[in-house]
Amino acid sequence: MKKNEIVEVEITDLSYEAMGVGHVNGETVFVNNPLPGEVVKAQILKDKKSYAFARISEIVKESPDRVKVPLRQYVQTGLASLAHLKYDKQLEFKQKLLNLLLSKAHLDQIKVAETLPSPLETGYRNKAQVPVRMVKGQLEIGFFRRHSHDLVPLEDFFTNDPEIDRVLLAVRDILREKRIPAYDEEKHQGQVRISGSPPGDGYGRHDGRPGLSGPGLPRPARGSR
């Protein structure tokens, strides 16, 4: 297979990174975002001879387990790499993945129970750390596109408690207003790397004190919060 070639792939499994797994002429192909049972036309991004990476150009046959994702960035960044899969199937995948890891470690005798569902399918995380980068001249928060350092700007982080998102956006706006530059990895310039929201108490309450880190920022005194 060659780069940019379009191939038709039947997806038979998911990798540990939730990438679709299929085979073309005996070669394994990892495809971003399809589901088992789907047939897709995929564009080859990189060919390593024994395996290749690709992205969907068209879904020929769609899985009944696929759900519509409000923002495709959730899946693109790996922030919620299973967001397009029905929730009960996500739980089955996690159980299967743990069984596979135990099997590889020769611990097959350990039986993995069913994955316990969260009361909330989204908005359940009570702690978050997100990258801060300059995108087209403007400071943004978000997540990196898979296997890259390209930031995808986000305002709704899908799995975060909405109060955490509110705090993160408020910090982003203050950084913009004060013209505090994000850290540039190539130029080794800038001040802010991470905007972090403090953990909640499990009941939706947060103390509202976000943390920032970066080479140009002072370190907090030991023991301070």
Side-chain angles (χ1 to χ4, degrees):
M1 289 180 287
K2 297 179 180 179
K3 185 176 180 180
N4 295 325
E5 181 182 352
I6 303 296
V7 296
E8 187 166 289
V9 190
E10 180 180 359
I11 305 302
T12 57
D13 203 353
L14 291 176
S15 73
Y16 74 95
E17 291 184 308
M19 296 184 73
V21 181
H23 297 84
V24 176
N25 298 325
E27 185 174 340
T28 302
V29 183
F30 297 98
V31 189
N32 273 336
N33 309 333
L35 298 174
E38 292 187 330
V39 177
V40 302
K41 289 184 178 179
Q43 180 184 13
I44 300 299
L45 300 177
K46 188 180 294 185
D47 184 20
K48 295 287 189 177
K49 296 191 177 179
S50 61
Y51 62 94
F53 293 99
R55 64 184 173 198
I56 294 176
S57 61
E58 179 186 347
I59 298 178
V60 178
K61 176 186 174 184
E62 187 173 280
S63 168
D65 296 326
R66 178 176 285 275
V67 296
K68 301 300 180 185
V69 183
L71 284 176
R72 63 178 182 172
Q73 289 94 324
Y74 299 142
V75 181
Q76 287 177 336
T77 59
L79 173 64
S81 54
L82 293 171
H84 57 314
L85 180 63
K86 285 182 178 178
Y87 188 60
D88 61 324
K89 298 299 181 181
Q90 293 182 31
L91 300 179
E92 289 178 12
F93 169 74
K94 292 174 181 179
Q95 181 187 24
K96 177 183 176 182
L97 184 61
L98 187 51
N99 272 315
L100 180 61
L101 292 172
L102 289 171
S103 177
K104 287 183 176 180
H106 306 290
L107 296 171
D108 305 75
Q109 72 276 14
I110 299 177
K111 302 301 179 184
V112 180
E114 292 184 0
T115 309
L116 295 177
S118 167
L120 299 173
E121 292 184 18
T122 64
Y124 52 83
R125 292 187 184 276
N126 64 4
K127 183 178 181 181
Q129 285 191 328
V130 301
V132 181
R133 291 290 185 273
M134 300 301 293
V135 178
K136 297 180 180 179
Q138 178 167 264
L139 185 142
E140 298 282 5
I141 59 174
F143 264 80
F144 294 124
R145 197 179 304 278
R146 278 184 176 183
H147 307 298
S148 80
H149 279 207
D150 297 330
L151 188 83
V152 177
L154 291 170
E155 293 192 351
D156 177 353
F157 287 83
F158 192 67
T159 56
N160 286 351
D161 182 314
E163 184 64 15
I164 289 181
D165 284 357
R166 185 192 68 78
V167 172
L168 291 173
L169 291 175
V171 172
R172 180 205 64 184
D173 291 344
I174 291 171
L175 294 173
R176 286 178 178 177
E177 180 185 349
K178 301 299 182 181
R179 300 183 181 278
I180 298 174
Y183 184 72
D184 186 313
E185 288 184 327
E186 293 183 356
K187 297 179 180 178
H188 303 289
Q189 296 176 350
Q191 292 178 286
V192 182
R193 276 180 171 158
I194 296 293
S195 173
S197 180
D201 60 5
Y203 297 94
R205 294 191 293 265
H206 303 268
D207 66 14
R209 289 176 289 180
L212 300 174
S213 70
L217 297 178
R219 292 185 179 183
R222 180 173 296 180
S224 67
R225 290 194 56 187

